[in-house]
């Protein structure tokens, strides 16, 4: 270990260990504990990974204290204002903003992969119409490995690339098909003359009986929502994708695992849960009742769309989403949307309450997104599928980074075992 290498000294029992410390480009130093068990005979203990760096990455950085989110160094508020989703996809995948030619080529490649194998249409028919679209998406995305055999070999960089493009291109088509199937309407094929967000809106809302013109306000709002959800460091679903990928599972199976994890209300399911909560509150005068419930230790109720494992300040995405909600509802002429009024008053009440201030609980990305999506015509059941289709590029980028890492090995955590010590079997007549 070079004498300039920072180290952490750890002494316990008869052990004296010196562990390397690495300094990142930004964020806290890390202590390398990979030799801890071999040299010290002990594990670390960190349920929920509150103090654990599971990997090194160059893709996304979050400063929870400042409320900062960078994608390859670019702040999310600048990307939301000046870029668009497919350009952010390029940035996340390849590390730099594309030239005009590179962007045109990338958008062309994605556009030409938006259709799904025609036989996948039958796959949907096996689901009940009232299945949650997330259930359909987990199933259909996992089944993609049964259709695209030429992009399963993860050791082949070309196949990894094709699988990445296919998933970014096809997830909107699959999400729209899940929606159409749930409302008993025919599937709408993608169109190559539409941009990514417009294509998705048309596949969701067009019907064969009449022409469908995409509203540019909705398309811009949709694209911004996709940009805001694209990636977010090592969150639960991204960690799920990395762990699944560490076993060598094919990329479609890994993304299906990420979709399954995202579904939970503590994670990507919070946008649906948040809008349902705002509707349950119903009016501004009921806000104190729900604030009290959120603070009551004996009540499992939590304010959906509030709090975050990393952000102990405003989630910068929530700030952009709130501005977008105002714009979209105003432009759509949805004045005085009661749900938006409840959301704004609830945010104000919570931020002025010592409980939330002490615990550093602020609105997160899910607090306002549902209001916009509902105003755009989506049912709450489609909120998390939209989060999933947006996050696919983040999952894929992190998966590619992991697969390309020469240090990569299968993830296999250990445990603090507190079960029974070894004991002999007891025959049933002696129990
Ligand atoms: C996403 O990780 C990511 O990056 C995720 C995400 C992404 O882009 O991938 O940002 C997307 O998942 C955003 C979060 C969406 N979830 C919700 O809005 C659900 C409501 N929020 C909570 O469930 C909670 O805040 C979490 C799950 C988001 C974070 O939980 P932590 O970090 O495990 O924090 P915690 O549960 O330990 O809470 C700390 C304290 C607790 O009180 P004490 O036990 O210390 O007394 O704060 C309280 C909690 O009870 N608390 C809340 C609360 N969130 C935390 N109290 C009321 N309402 C809340 N929303």
């Amino acid at each position: 270990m070079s004498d300039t290498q920072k180290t952490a000294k750890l002494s316990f029992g008869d052990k004296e260990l010196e562990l390397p410390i690495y300094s990142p480009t930004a964020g806290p130093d890390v202590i390398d504990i990979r030799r801890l068990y071999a040299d010290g005979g002990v594990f670390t203990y960190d349920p929920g990974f509150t103090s654990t760096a599971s990997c090194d990455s160059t893709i996304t950085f979050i400063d929870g204290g400042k409320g900062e989110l960078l994608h390859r160094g670019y702040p999310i508020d600048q990307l939301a204002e000046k870029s668009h989703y497919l350009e952010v996809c390029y940035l996340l995948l390849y590390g730099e903003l594309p030239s005009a030619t590179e962007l045109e080529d990338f958008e062309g490649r994605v556009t030409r992969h938006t259709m799904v194998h025609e036989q996948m249409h039958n796959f949907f028919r096996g689901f009940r119409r009232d299945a949650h679209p997330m259930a359909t998406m987990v199933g259909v995305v996992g089944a993609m490995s049964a259709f695209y055999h030429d992009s399963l070999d993860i050791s082949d960089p070309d196949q990894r690339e094709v699988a990445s493009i296919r998933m970014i291109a096809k997830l909107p088509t699959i999400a729209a098909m899940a929606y159409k199937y749930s409302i008993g309407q025919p599937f709408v094929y993608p169109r190559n003359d539409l941009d990514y967000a417009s294509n998705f809106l048309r596949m969701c809302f067009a019907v064969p009986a009449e022409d469908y013109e995409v509203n540019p306000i909705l398309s811009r709002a949709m694209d911004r929502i996709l940009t805001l959800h694209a990636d977010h460091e090592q969150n639960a679903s991204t960690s799920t994708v990395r762990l699944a990928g560490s076993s060598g599972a094919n990329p479609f199976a890994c993304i299906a695992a990420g979709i399954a994890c995202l579904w939970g209300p503590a994670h990507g399911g919070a946008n649906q849960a948040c809008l349902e909560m705002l509707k349950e509150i119903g009016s501004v005068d009921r806000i104190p009742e729900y604030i009290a419930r959120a603070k009551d230790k004996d009540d499992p109720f939590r304010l959906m769309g509030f709090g975050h494992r990393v952000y102990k300040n405003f989630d910068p995405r929530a700030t952009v989403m709130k501005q977008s909600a105002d714009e979209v509802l105003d432009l759509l002429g949805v004045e005085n949307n009661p749900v938006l009024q409840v959301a704004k008053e609830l945010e104000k009440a919570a931020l002025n309450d010592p409980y939330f201030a002490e615990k550093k609980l602020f609105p997160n990305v899910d607090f306002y997104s549902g209001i916009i999506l509902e105003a755009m015509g989506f049912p709450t059941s489609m909120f998390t599928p939209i989060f999933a289709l947006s996050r696919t590029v983040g999952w894929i980028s992190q998966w590619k980074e992991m697969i390309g890492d020469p240090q990569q090995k299968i993830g296999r955590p250990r445990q603090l075992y507190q079960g029974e010590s070894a004991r002999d079997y007891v025959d049933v007549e002696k129990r």
Side-chain angles (χ1 to χ4, degrees), residues 232 266-267 297 302-303 305-306 308-309 317 364 391:
H232 211 239
H267 189 15
K297 278 276 150 264
R302 288 193 168 179
L303 283 189
F306 252 80
H308 199 278
R309 170 61 58 77
R317 301 168 298 175
N364 58 47
R391 185 54 58 86

Side-chain angles (χ1 to χ4, degrees), residues 108-340:
R109 282 190 290 141
V110 171
T111 299
R112 284 192 301 276
H113 278 284
T114 48
M115 286 176 66
V116 296
H117 189 294
E118 193 68 5
Q119 210 166 301
M120 288 190 89
H121 290 210
N122 306 326
F123 199 84
F124 283 85
R125 310 238 184 281
F127 289 91
R128 285 175 41 150
R129 292 281 179 174
D130 61 355
H132 193 293
M134 285 295 277
T136 320
M137 283 181 72
V138 169
V140 173
V141 171
M144 287 173 78
S145 54
F147 288 86
Y148 300 107
H149 297 132
D150 60 345
S151 54
L152 297 181
D153 178 358
I154 62 169
S155 65
D156 179 346
D158 292 337
Q159 294 203 26
R160 295 205 297 264
E161 176 70 13
V162 172
S164 305
I165 297 293
R166 275 185 167 140
M167 269 186 281
I168 293 166
K170 297 180 195 301
L171 257 289
T173 308
I174 291 168
M177 291 171 79
Y179 172 54
K180 284 303 203 186
Y181 186 72
S182 73
I183 58 175
Q185 287 188 2
F187 298 139
V188 174
Y189 286 90
R191 288 271 300 270
N192 291 353
D193 59 341
L194 295 176
D195 64 71
Y196 193 88
S198 301
N199 216 356
F200 175 61
L201 290 173
R202 184 179 171 281
M203 289 190 284
C204 288
F205 297 125
V207 289
E210 58 189 38
D211 291 338
Y212 176 81
E213 281 301 310
V214 178
N215 179 330
I217 299 163
L218 299 189
S219 174
R220 179 66 191 133
M222 186 79 255
D223 188 275
R224 182 173 291 172
I225 287 175
L226 297 178
T227 298
L228 291 173
H229 288 82
D231 189 48
H232 211 239
E233 199 216 66
Q234 306 310 319
N235 58 84
S237 52
T238 298
S239 299
T240 299
V241 171
R242 279 181 172 261
L243 198 54
S246 74
S247 75
N250 75 70
F252 304 108
C254 295
I255 298 306
I259 294 172
C261 176
L262 184 78
W263 196 356
H267 189 15
N271 50 17
Q272 173 174 345
C274 181
L275 195 79
E276 287 163 355
M277 173 194 73
L278 292 171
K279 288 185 170 178
E280 184 187 326
I281 294 173
S283 63
V284 172
D285 58 0
R286 293 192 64 197
I287 287 174
E289 170 197 339
Y290 282 83
I291 294 271
R293 285 190 56 195
K295 292 159 61 176
D296 179 355
K297 278 276 150 264
D298 299 325
D299 188 331
F301 172 78
R302 288 193 168 179
L303 283 189
M304 291 289 110
F306 252 80
H308 199 278
R309 170 61 58 77
V310 177
Y311 289 122
K312 301 310 171 190
N313 197 324
F314 262 87
D315 179 337
R317 301 168 298 175
T319 308
V320 178
M321 203 73 82
K322 181 177 180 180
Q323 290 159 4
S324 196
D326 276 330
E327 281 167 26
V328 170
L329 295 182
D330 186 41
L331 290 166
L332 289 176
V334 188
E335 270 85 39
N336 310 319
N337 175 300
V339 176
L340 182 59

